[in-house]
Amino acid sequence: MASRIASRLLRRSSPTLGLLRSYTHVRNYSSQLSGYLLNNCYLDFDHWFTMDDSNTFALSAGLIPVGPQSSKLTRRNNYFPNASPYQLWSRSFASDNGDKFEAVVPFMGESVTDGTLANFLKKPGDRVEADEAIAQIETDKVTIDVSSPEAGVIEKFIASEGDTVTPGTIVAIVSKSAAPAETHVAPSEEAPQKESPPVKAEEKSPKAEEKPTKVEPPKKQAPKPTPSKTSPTEPQLPPKERERRVAMPRLRKRIANRLKDSQNTFAMLTTFNEVDMTNLMKLRSDYKDEFVKKHGVKLGLMSCFVKAAVSGLQNQPIVNAVIDGDDIIYRDYVDVSVAVGTSKGLVVPVIRDADTMNFADIEKGINNLAKKATEGALSIDEMAGGTFTISNGGVYGSLISTPIINPPQSAILGMHSIVQRPVVVDGSILARPMMYLALTYDHRLIDGREAVYFLRRIKDVVEDPRRLLLDI
């Protein structure tokens, strides 16, 4: 059996080596591989091996003698009996000696092709563990970490901050055997010597005191008042040292472009209404403890407004539709985007199939997405899509505003702060917790009647949540 395999290797090694020599990036290795393969017969040519430009090669499958040379390889199934000195191995990383590994940019999503290397979380010489973040990539939508493939020490950075990178780009080289860099503190032996300059200043001080007695030309400074004559007419600009210029983050650029495109594309119109929050706030107060006890999450206002928006979209399907060229696409599902403000900008994660969820499911979904948004851990899929957006500016104290449509949707609901205002109830003037609502819609698709009916439906449901139970 061994003789048949050896003759098979020798027969097939020559044409295979000829094929390898035809590729430019492996020509330098052909002579070495010839001796390595023909003399030792280590490689089974029923399998492939690959090379790269970093003077390294990785075996996807091959016959390697069991011994010191195979200590850093990964064992696979073999073609020989257990007594055979040859086993089948594979190497997962390409390196000169299996000691160095490459930290590369991961896959960033179907719709994201590149990103900007925002900052490094480590420095060359720092110790890192496996899967520990080394750098952060900022895309149009989310921030993605570049992790170390193995535990080791960062040998060097290949990319620089501010570079545009794509999936697979090498960011850093991690070495398993290198020692962490030690910080050296410079000795402060020269500190006493720095005290000598003040002595020289004291020696010169008497001479400086004698000069004012000999030279008395204060009159030569008289031309200084001349600028004061022109200063009243010239603007007093702050010095440039008090200004800072920083690069705009990719997320902010994306937000700016989308909002401007929305303004240029849609025929936006906003309609307003106000809602009495008395009944909804009483509902929360009466059942908040039982709600937390059963569902493990607090009952907030957003879940009721999401359910109200679902009811409104089902009553006015045109608000849930979108223009696509010369066609109108009606969506028979409701994916509600909830605007969340973060330190890096506004993001709109999506609550999928909100029309099939109850209050508890919506509250859990909102809390989960808000937490991820704050931590910068939202994925591309969690922000893709959405048929309708709700923006709550009331958490920041906004009294009234006109929100901008989130493309490619056709409408957006703006919530605002709750303020005690005098209103007429059954002929009496009472102080009630009131909120202004604003609906911005694409007037190319949605007429004013549908927009007003939609906003009225939200008002009716919020003022009397029992309508959701009775579906009226």
Side-chain angles (χ1 to χ4, degrees):
M1 178 180 178
S3 60
R4 288 200 303 270
I5 294 176
S7 61
R8 179 184 175 191
L9 288 174
L10 291 175
R11 286 199 307 272
R12 301 184 61 180
S13 60
S14 178
T16 306
L17 289 176
L19 177 62
L20 292 176
R21 290 193 180 97
S22 64
Y23 291 96
T24 304
H25 64 285
V26 298
R27 286 176 182 172
N28 296 333
Y29 305 90
S30 60
S31 60
Q32 300 176 9
L33 290 173
S34 299
Y36 184 79
L37 300 175
L38 293 178
N39 296 336
N40 299 291
C41 294
Y42 286 165
L43 183 65
D44 181 358
F45 284 91
D46 281 345
H47 300 79
W48 292 94
F49 71 94
T50 59
M51 289 189 173
D52 55 24
D53 296 329
S54 61
N55 299 338
T56 62
F57 73 94
L59 297 177
S60 63
L63 301 179
I64 306 297
V66 179
Q69 294 179 350
S70 62
S71 60
K72 294 186 178 181
L73 300 177
T74 304
R75 180 169 181 170
R76 286 188 181 178
N77 296 328
N78 56 30
Y79 291 119
F80 298 98
N82 294 333
S84 173
Y86 296 98
Q87 306 290 346
L88 189 64
W89 303 82
S90 67
R91 172 170 283 174
S92 58
F93 292 95
S95 62
D96 292 332
N97 55 4
D99 175 68
K100 298 178 182 179
F101 299 87
E102 299 170 347
V104 300
V105 178
F107 177 70
M108 297 184 288
E110 295 293 342
S111 60
V112 181
T113 58
D114 59 16
T116 301
L117 183 55
N119 62 300
F120 287 106
L121 305 178
K122 300 290 183 178
K123 297 179 295 184
D126 288 354
R127 173 80 183 176
V128 293
E129 301 299 328
D131 298 327
E132 184 177 357
I134 294 177
Q136 289 185 327
I137 306 298
E138 192 177 73
T139 68
D140 297 341
K141 298 180 179 180
V142 295
T143 300
I144 299 173
D145 291 336
V146 178
S147 303
S148 173
E150 295 286 341
V153 175
I154 299 177
E155 185 175 282
K156 62 179 179 178
F157 290 139
I158 304 300
S160 303
E161 291 186 0
D163 289 354
T164 300
V165 295
T166 57
T169 302
I170 301 174
V171 173
I173 301 296
V174 179
S175 176
K176 296 180 69 174
S177 62
E182 297 180 359
T183 57
H184 299 281
V185 180
S188 57
E189 297 176 355
E190 300 179 356
Q193 298 179 0
K194 295 182 179 179
E195 297 178 358
S196 57
V199 179
K200 295 180 180 180
E202 293 177 358
E203 294 176 357
K204 294 182 179 180
S205 58
K207 297 179 181 180
E209 293 176 356
E210 295 176 359
K211 288 182 180 179
T213 58
K214 296 178 181 180
V215 183
E216 298 178 357
K219 296 181 181 180
K220 292 183 180 180
Q221 298 179 356
K224 290 184 179 179
T226 54
S228 61
K229 296 180 180 179
T230 58
S231 59
T233 59
E234 295 179 358
Q236 298 295 323
L237 299 177
K240 295 294 184 181
E241 291 78 8
R242 297 174 59 186
E243 298 178 352
R244 293 183 299 114
R245 182 185 294 271
V246 297
M248 183 181 292
R250 289 177 67 100
L251 179 59
R252 177 53 57 186
K253 288 181 183 178
R254 180 64 173 171
I255 293 173
N257 292 335
R258 285 178 62 86
L259 293 181
K260 190 58 183 174
D261 291 343
S262 175
Q263 198 175 46
N264 295 338
T265 302
F266 299 129
M268 287 190 289
L269 188 62
T270 305
T271 182
F272 300 92
N273 212 321
E274 62 179 358
V275 57
D276 188 346
M277 301 291 293
T278 302
N279 292 331
L280 180 58
M281 295 178 70
K282 186 177 184 303
L283 177 68
R284 290 181 61 199
S285 177
D286 292 342
Y287 297 103
K288 61 180 181 180
D289 295 334
E290 288 83 353
F291 193 86
V292 173
K293 212 175 275 185
K294 180 175 181 179
H295 302 290
V297 64
K298 293 182 179 180
L299 177 62
L301 296 178
M302 283 300 299
S303 57
C304 184
F305 275 91
V306 169
K307 293 293 290 184
V310 169
S311 178
L313 293 172
Q314 291 172 342
N315 288 342
Q316 300 295 328
I318 192 64
V319 182
N320 201 42
V322 65
I323 295 177
D324 184 19
D326 294 331
D327 301 325
I328 300 175
I329 300 177
Y330 288 89
R331 274 88 62 105
D332 297 330
Y333 60 93
V334 178
D335 290 346
V336 178
S337 303
V338 179
V340 180
T342 67
S343 58
K344 294 184 178 181
L346 186 70
V347 294
V348 279
V350 180
I351 302 174
R352 307 287 181 191
D353 297 320
D355 51 327
T356 63
M357 303 171 71
N358 56 28
F359 282 80
D361 294 334
I362 294 174
E363 289 292 347
K364 291 177 183 177
I366 292 175
N367 291 345
N368 183 39
L369 294 174
K371 182 179 179 181
K372 287 186 176 182
T374 305
E375 297 173 351
L378 285 172
S379 65
I380 299 295
D381 294 336
E382 289 172 326
M383 293 193 295
T387 62
F388 183 77
T389 297
I390 299 178
S391 176
N392 185 8
V395 295
Y396 308 111
S398 173
L399 180 63
I400 193 168
S401 66
T402 56
I404 298 179
I405 296 174
N406 178 26
Q409 300 171 13
S410 298
I412 179 173
L413 175 67
M415 299 167 53
H416 300 90
S417 58
I418 302 172
V419 180
Q420 290 282 339
R421 292 200 300 270
V423 294
V424 178
V425 179
D426 297 331
S428 302
I429 300 177
L430 303 174
R432 290 295 185 99
M434 304 297 294
M435 175 193 289
Y436 285 122
L437 298 179
L439 177 70
T440 300
Y441 58 96
D442 186 1
H443 209 352
R444 300 176 305 164
L445 177 65
I446 305 170
D447 293 332
R449 183 188 68 169
E450 286 79 10
V452 172
Y453 282 165
F454 174 83
L455 201 56
R456 281 292 309 231
R457 177 61 183 174
I458 292 180
K459 172 183 171 68
D460 294 340
V461 169
V462 172
E463 289 185 343
D464 189 0
R466 295 174 298 179
R467 289 177 175 268
L468 291 174
L469 178 64
L470 300 175
D471 192 21
I472 58 175

